[in-house]
Amino acid sequence: MSFALHGLGVSEGIAIGRARLMSHAIREVAHLTVTPRQAEKEITRLDAAFNAVRDELARLKEGAGGSAPSELFVFIDLHVMFLSDPELTEAPKAIIREKRCNAEWALVRQMEHLVERFEQFEDPYLRERKYDVVQVVERVVKELMGHPARGLPRQGKSVNEEDLVVVAHDLSPADTIAFKAHNFAAFVTDVGGATSHTAILARSMAIPAIVGVDQARALVRDGEWLIVDGMRGVLIVDPDERVLDEYQIRKEQHELERAKLKRLRSTPAETLDGVGISLLANIELPGDAKGALEAGAEGIGLFRTEFLFLGRGDMPSEDEQFEAYRKVVKTMEGRPVTIRTFDLGGDKSLDTQRTPTNPALGRRAIRLSLAEPRMFQTQLRAILRASRFGKVKLLVPMLSHAQQIDAMLAAVEEAKTGLRNDRIAFDEAIEVGGMIEVPCAALAINMFLKRLDFLSLGTNDLIQYTLAIDRSDEQVASLYDPLHPAVLMLVAHAITSAVKSGTPISVCGEMAGSPKFTRLFLGLGLRIFSMHPSQIPGVKNRVLQADTQELAPLVRRILRLDETPKVVEAVEKLNTMEKES
Ligand code: PEP
Ligand code: MG
């Protein structure tokens, strides 16, 4: 019987294939009573399983080399950390001895206890880590149950992997890395969000994926025909002939479109009226720079360095940071590299940080940097040292007050003086810029223009703070509205003021990478965009068909609209105009 399920489409494209269900070991665990002597054997079995999984993760990490998305390594390291945590390795042993039960059951009981504790964290990042605990336990349980293949879909002789859609409750980072060696048509999972590692991997492999499809693993049967529409987040199970034909046509159209866009890689981003547009890349870890180059990025517009600090027990040293920054600068071969100082706190908190009531309004980003001068100096010195190897620009997040900008500039001077005293070379003329991501910064932009060399609009946070919507809370996600007139007013004011004063300004929030906003931004006067590398071809395509002279007056009219639906309609019209002309 044909039916449709809905989830969150996290990687575009359409796939048609047969379902391959991944096993869900935790649910299959038996509860057995054992004798005291058997209990000791269970403990030995548990130790052996932990060791085997630790070795396996190390092998996977090594084998994945540079081809896997770098964020995955952060998750793998986190899993390795959990695998050595006595809460997971030792506590179940006490349960085995006390309750006289088998190793699998003891481990699952301890996992449930830990998950409950994680659920009580206020910090959403820490709360999310419960999924990592479950994934780690799932692997160990599979090892205990003698499933060395981790429940990875076995390759049937008669079916090509390109025709298989993996359906799982959840996929761990290690599963996803192992998938790189396979060639599956699509992924579907019961749980997960847009920034889950499954989503990240699927995007980097350009494979359609839907996450958060409630009960998919339970409702779909192995071998059943599936259509995965990664754009709309729709999973069609057992489709009829007519629907299959329709989706086959859509799939071919999408693939044709993608091939066409790929060919734009070396085409300069220039509008019809001859205005050159800079399309830069956002990266999270040094290994991402290669992908940025391959996508045709003219440079790095945002290097989110805080990912170097997350998922570890200590701070990266000056030398470690320097090596990471230098690697990016070298990879980019003279193209500009904008390194943002750590944006920690908020939803990216360090293990050592107290969780405030409102993390997004607390000691985040530059506020934390100024409160932790040693940590800030270490990073500034590392960035300055890397500036000798190419064109480095220094970007500082979440600035809001004039005194804060001055204190930040003084810290940069202090780092420079220290390096001069140590006779270490750096670019004396390094440009220092600020993120405009708090409404007060967009409104009182003159204090930024007076003091800084360049600006970057962080629309993700600007929208969060303007509309008072926690960007990591799915309960208010529907209110997250990039085309709210208040957001547009702030964006327009910031861009116009910067252009007037001759200060370069870019947009590096998610809005910059969405082709549906490209013409709007061009009409507002924006000339520098920074986005995920995979989004560059789509935005470039829009740039090539735009005429800034024609767009400017139309966008001025949009700015006068006073309600979101009217703005949405007008922006849609602006985009369809392109197709008509
Ligand atoms: C933003 O806020 O738009 C931005 C680019 O920074 P982040 O997403 O890292 O907060
Ligand atoms: Mg931000």
Side-chain angles (χ1 to χ4, degrees), residues 516-531:
K516 66 177 187 240
F517 301 128
T518 309
R519 290 168 69 81
L520 175 71
F521 278 134
L522 289 172
L524 285 171
L526 187 75
R527 300 295 178 254
I528 312 169
F529 296 64
S530 192
M531 66 203 82

Side-chain angles (χ1 to χ4, degrees), residues 302 304 340 343 348 364 435 437 458-461 471 508-509:
L302 172 66
R304 291 182 164 103
R340 183 175 76 179
D343 182 357
K348 288 174 275 193
R364 177 189 163 185
M435 297 270 304
E437 50 185 351
T459 48
N460 305 339
D461 278 312
R471 63 193 261 201
C508 64

Side-chain angles (χ1 to χ4, degrees), residues 483-502:
L483 292 182
H484 190 292
V487 173
L488 279 194
M489 282 179 210
L490 291 171
V491 168
H493 177 65
I495 295 175
T496 316
S497 311
V499 170
K500 220 188 258 167
S501 82

Side-chain angles (χ1 to χ4, degrees), residues 143-360:
E143 185 64 40
L144 282 165
M145 290 163 77
H147 293 224
R150 312 281 128 247
L152 273 183
R154 277 184 302 279
Q155 198 180 340
K157 283 240 163 19
S158 55
V159 191
N160 290 326
E161 280 182 342
E162 306 94 82
D163 301 327
L164 290 178
V165 174
V166 174
V167 183
H169 176 67
D170 192 10
L171 294 173
S172 73
D175 287 332
T176 42
I177 279 198
F179 279 167
K180 289 223 66 141
H182 297 250
N183 209 2
F184 298 117
F187 300 134
V188 178
T189 60
D190 291 348
V191 297
T195 54
S196 66
H197 31 258
T198 316
I200 292 165
L201 182 92
R203 276 197 291 270
S204 85
M205 290 165 79
I207 288 178
I210 317 178
V211 300
V213 187
D214 195 25
Q215 298 291 323
R217 174 72 181 65
L219 296 172
V220 173
R221 278 174 306 184
D222 212 30
E224 223 162 11
W225 277 103
L226 299 177
I227 296 175
V228 179
D229 183 341
M231 274 172 277
R232 297 182 179 81
V234 180
L235 173 72
I236 303 172
V237 185
D238 192 19
D240 62 33
E241 238 4 75
R242 194 183 47 82
V243 176
L244 258 179
D245 285 350
E246 190 192 315
Y247 269 93
Q248 193 61 44
I249 295 171
R250 278 205 215 167
K251 179 172 178 288
E252 280 158 21
Q253 274 171 346
H254 182 80
E255 278 159 12
L256 247 160
E257 198 61 33
R258 215 151 55 184
K260 230 165 62 191
L261 287 182
K262 246 189 173 161
R263 275 184 251 126
L264 292 179
R265 187 187 172 277
S266 47
T267 309
E270 198 182 284
T271 62
L272 292 173
D273 54 329
V275 179
I277 305 296
S278 290
L279 301 183
L280 309 173
N282 293 352
I283 62 167
E284 272 83 46
L285 284 169
D288 300 339
K290 207 165 137 252
L293 261 192
E294 282 164 7
E298 282 177 40
I300 303 296
L302 172 66
F303 178 2
R304 291 182 164 103
T305 61
E306 56 274 14
F307 282 86
L308 298 172
F309 294 69
L310 292 174
R312 52 190 286 164
D314 58 351
M315 291 289 158
S317 68
E318 181 184 317
D319 280 349
E320 187 182 339
Q321 289 189 56
F322 163 64
E323 288 302 340
Y325 306 145
R326 185 172 63 164
K327 183 173 171 193
V328 175
V329 175
K330 288 254 182 195
T331 307
M332 294 310 290
E333 297 167 338
R335 295 171 184 82
V337 175
T338 313
I339 305 181
R340 183 175 76 179
T341 58
F342 55 79
D343 182 357
L344 292 163
D347 62 344
K348 288 174 275 193
S349 95
L350 289 172
D351 302 346
T352 48
Q353 271 180 273
R354 174 180 73 87
T355 306
T357 323
N358 288 308

Side-chain angles (χ1 to χ4, degrees), residues 370-438:
L370 295 176
E372 298 283 350
R374 284 219 350 234
M375 194 171 149
F376 196 33
Q377 281 299 314
T378 303
Q379 180 170 45
L380 290 174
R381 281 176 62 99
I383 296 173
L384 285 167
R385 281 170 61 191
S387 70
R388 188 162 73 87
F389 298 89
K391 171 88 184 135
V392 171
K393 297 164 95 173
L394 184 75
L395 178 64
V396 181
M398 219 195 161
L399 290 161
S400 53
H401 297 63
Q403 316 87 284
Q404 199 181 41
I405 308 176
D406 293 337
M408 176 276 288
L409 291 172
V412 175
E413 275 316 310
E414 186 187 329
K416 283 184 173 179
T417 308
L419 288 175
R420 281 186 209 113
N421 291 343
D422 296 342
R423 301 193 177 282
I424 298 175
F426 62 92
D427 175 9
E428 289 277 355
I430 188 169
E431 290 174 29
V432 180
M435 297 270 304
I436 302 294
E437 50 185 351
V438 192

